[in-house]
Amino acid sequence: MRYLSTRGDATPRKFCDILLEGLAPDGGLYLPERYPQVDAATLAKWRNLPYHELAFEVLSLYIDDIPPADLKALCAKTYTAEVFGTEEIVPLRELEDGVYLEALSNGPTLAFKDMAMQLLGNLFEYELARRGEELNILGATSGDTGSAAEYAMRGKHGVRVFMTSPEGRMSPFQQAQMFSLQDANIHNIAVAGVFDDCQDIVKAVSNDLDFKRKYKIGTVNSINWARLLAQVVYYFAGYFQATANNGKPVSFTVPSGNFGNVCAGHVARMMGLPIHTLVVATNENDVLDEFFRTGVYRVRSAADTHETSSPSMDISKASNFERFVFDLLGRDGAKLRGLFEGELGKAGRFDLGKDAAFAQAAERFGFRSSRSTHADRLDTIRDTDKRFATLIDTHTADGLKAAREFLTPGVPMVVLETALPIKFAETIVEALGHEPDRPKRFVGIEDLPKRVTSLPADAGAVKAYIAAHCD
Ligand SMILES: *Cc1c(COP(=O)(O)O)cnc(C)c1O
């Protein structure tokens, strides 16, 4: 399998070439040159596999530069009941007739990002050892991504993590999750500033090409193809649990921010998994809902980006969306470049509303969308608690509300549960008047010793810190 860029660069690359890279050199995102097709016979073979073997089967269709025995071992090491809490890894439970929750948030940091990041940690360690190289991951986080990266990379050979976060602005639980890690290769940097300052620092350091090369700086952001690929697996696992045989279609609703999670659903559907509808659920930051309703893709300004109670979906643009647009435009890299570099660059928006391709977003690719507000989240959390004695987090609540708008008789609807409520306890208290349950291993983490360095909001200071901790 070879990979190409959405912006037209077709230099053939293998999986391991792009594993450690972010954007393609032409500024595009990597996609496989084609989507391998799975037929009914393949689905039948996969239906009863344990999760780690299913992961191996899906991944091996896209990865031919890691020996199968090694890839199998990496999947087996990653997807264990010990790390993800159950043998099913992503257990499904029925909430009401035909509506299911697929639990993706029982990994080490209680959010779905563990599903991909845990595999990425093992893939990085494997590939870096094979090349005799090291990597220093520099990131910026406001919560979920940073902790998932740290828990995936802790103790891994050849990898260090330097994670910047805005000092004092993460929830006490999120701070405790990250800062209590004592591993020598994990570095928490609390920046005196806001999240945007952290992102600016990461950009400034990455733009210093000499520094980047000398210190082998890399990232783990959501545009990484390996992360997306790992997420494809749980659409298959959800499908098998929601159906008794392989002819039946299933719909999925996905709480969405950067379009990474639901893009994996799109890939699964393109492979031939019988997905009826893919519902994109947004919060007040409705960039994606606007697109799927109108064909207009409009990047929001900082002032126009809302701080909401489903904060992991607070985006101004959806960084993975370009992958879907590439498929929507019939994989026309030149046309895509015109939209993303031309119109979007100049006007901050493009409009496909009158383009024949736009109608295909729903008809051919199965996409629908909806948006929720804070009041909707509170209502959904209360209602789910009251009628089903089930506590859901704020992001999952956005999903459940959207899902109910697109139910089709006879088609199971699977809502992806993207985090556990304890991560966003403040809103649960607002909705229900009490704290959510806390998994045992997190009891008292706020009292553990903290390992974090405070630095000014200055790229020079962060560079000096990295240089001092790199031997
Ligand atoms: C990251 C995240 C999302 C959004 O996922 P995307 O892949 O960016 O669309 C939704 N919910 C939670 C809890 C998250 O951490």
Side-chain angles (χ1 to χ4, degrees):
M1 176 66 77
R2 292 160 190 234
Y3 291 86
L4 42 79
S5 162
T6 51
R7 300 211 180 163
D9 179 352
T11 315
R13 292 174 181 84
K14 290 286 192 178
F15 178 83
C16 290
D17 299 331
I18 65 169
L19 172 65
L20 303 167
E21 263 184 79
L23 291 176
D26 66 354
L29 307 188
Y30 287 115
L31 273 178
E33 60 184 352
R34 62 189 166 77
Y35 295 113
Q37 296 300 299
V38 296
D39 56 16
T42 312
L43 288 177
K45 253 194 342 222
W46 289 1
R47 174 167 279 277
N48 294 311
L49 292 179
Y51 192 89
H52 67 92
E53 286 183 30
L54 177 64
F56 167 72
E57 294 293 338
V58 174
L59 265 55
S60 59
L61 298 177
Y62 292 90
I63 303 174
D64 50 20
D65 50 347
I66 294 177
D70 291 359
L71 186 59
K72 205 167 204 170
L74 288 167
C75 291
K77 178 175 159 183
T78 303
Y79 296 112
T80 65
E82 198 188 1
V83 174
F84 288 97
T86 61
E87 288 296 338
E88 295 92 338
I89 308 296
V90 290
L92 205 69
R93 59 185 192 277
E94 190 165 22
L95 201 58
E96 61 193 328
D97 206 17
V99 179
Y100 301 81
L101 290 178
E102 183 174 358
L104 306 181
S105 42
N106 295 318
T109 73
L110 311 182
F112 88 97
K113 292 189 174 68
D114 291 328
M115 293 301 305
M117 209 70 94
Q118 287 288 315
L119 181 74
L120 200 68
N122 286 326
L123 282 170
F124 274 16
E125 186 176 54
Y126 173 86
E127 184 59 16
L128 290 167
R130 201 157 71 153
R131 297 180 181 196
E133 288 178 11
E134 291 191 347
L135 185 71
N136 291 304
I137 294 167
L138 174 63
T141 190
S142 52
D144 284 354
T145 306
S147 59
E150 292 189 352
Y151 280 76
M153 304 297 164
R154 60 188 297 202
K156 293 277 186 286
H157 297 290
V159 190
R160 291 184 200 87
V161 178
F162 296 89
M163 191 57 64
T164 62
S165 59
E167 185 152 37
R169 284 174 192 261
M170 288 190 296
S171 75
F173 185 84
Q174 285 175 318
Q175 289 186 43
Q177 258 190 330
M178 288 177 58
F179 300 167
S180 63
L181 289 180
Q182 299 299 321
D183 307 75
N185 70 328
I186 303 297
H187 299 274
N188 289 302
I189 301 174
V191 168
V194 294
F195 177 60
D196 281 341
D197 295 314
C198 299
Q199 277 193 311
D200 289 345
I201 289 171
V202 171
K203 265 188 220 143
V205 175
S206 300
N207 287 339
D208 181 342
L209 294 183
D210 286 337
F211 186 88
K212 191 178 171 193
R213 211 167 301 126
K214 180 164 180 205
Y215 289 102
K216 312 217 168 346
I217 303 294
T219 58
V220 286
N221 47 30
S222 77
I223 56 163
N224 184 298
W225 166 254
R227 277 182 67 181
L228 207 133
L229 179 57
Q231 292 168 184
V232 172
V233 179
Y234 53 67
Y235 285 88
F236 283 86
Y239 177 82
F240 293 136
Q241 292 179 82
T243 56
N245 64 62
N246 292 327
K248 215 173 143 81
V250 169
S251 294
F252 287 89
T253 299
V254 188
S256 297
N258 276 316
F259 204 77
N261 198 351
V262 74
C263 194
H266 164 68
V267 171
R269 194 172 182 278
M270 296 299 279
M271 292 171 71
L273 186 68
I275 296 178
H276 184 276
T277 303
L278 281 167
V279 182
V280 176
T282 76
N283 62 21
E284 292 89 333
N285 297 293
D286 54 1
V287 181
L288 291 168
D289 180 46
E290 180 176 2
F291 175 78
F292 285 106
R293 277 187 297 103
T294 66
V296 173
Y297 181 68
R298 182 171 60 89
V299 171
R300 309 296 200 252
S301 66
D304 209 10
T305 305
H306 310 281
E307 253 183 65
T308 77
S309 48
S310 43
S312 302
M313 291 156 54
D314 291 350
I315 49 119
S316 55
K317 61 179 176 22
S319 52
N320 267 292
F321 184 55
E322 182 169 332
R323 285 194 162 105
F324 171 65
V325 177
F326 185 62
D327 285 341
L328 188 67
L329 299 177
R331 300 203 140 200
D332 183 340
K335 187 167 178 188
L336 183 129
R337 189 151 18 91
L339 287 181
F340 278 82
E341 287 174 20
E343 291 185 44
L344 199 61
K346 271 188 232 105
R349 75 200 287 279
F350 61 72
D351 185 353
L352 287 179
K354 293 189 189 65
D355 198 301
F358 176 62
Q360 297 192 343
E363 276 167 34
R364 174 152 173 251
F365 295 98
F367 277 97
R368 295 284 191 284
S369 72
S370 184
R371 88 193 272 279
S372 307
T373 63
H374 180 66
D376 293 326
R377 282 188 276 289
L378 296 179
D379 281 350
T380 308
I381 289 168
R382 277 188 204 115
D383 173 66
T384 310
D385 178 60
K386 196 165 143 206
R387 287 200 293 143
F388 310 110
T390 298
L391 203 52
I392 55 171
D393 100 291
T394 51
H395 306 75
T396 309
D398 289 336
L400 186 55
K401 184 233 169 207
R404 292 204 171 106
E405 296 167 25
F406 295 99
L407 298 178
T408 308
V411 179
M413 172 62 84
V414 176
V415 179
L416 300 188
E417 178 192 65
T418 55
L420 290 197
I422 184 65
K423 290 201 96 165
F424 306 96
E426 215 177 294
T427 307
I428 303 298
V429 173
E430 186 181 344
L432 301 176
H434 63 79
E435 287 265 335
D437 286 340
R438 181 180 284 229
K440 257 200 226 90
R441 65 184 192 276
F442 291 105
V443 172
I445 56 166
E446 287 92 339
D447 305 325
L448 294 175
K450 293 193 168 52
R451 202 164 158 273
V452 54
T453 302
S454 297
L455 290 180
D458 169 43
V462 172
K463 279 191 211 170
Y465 181 88
I466 293 172
H469 291 85
C470 264
D471 16 58

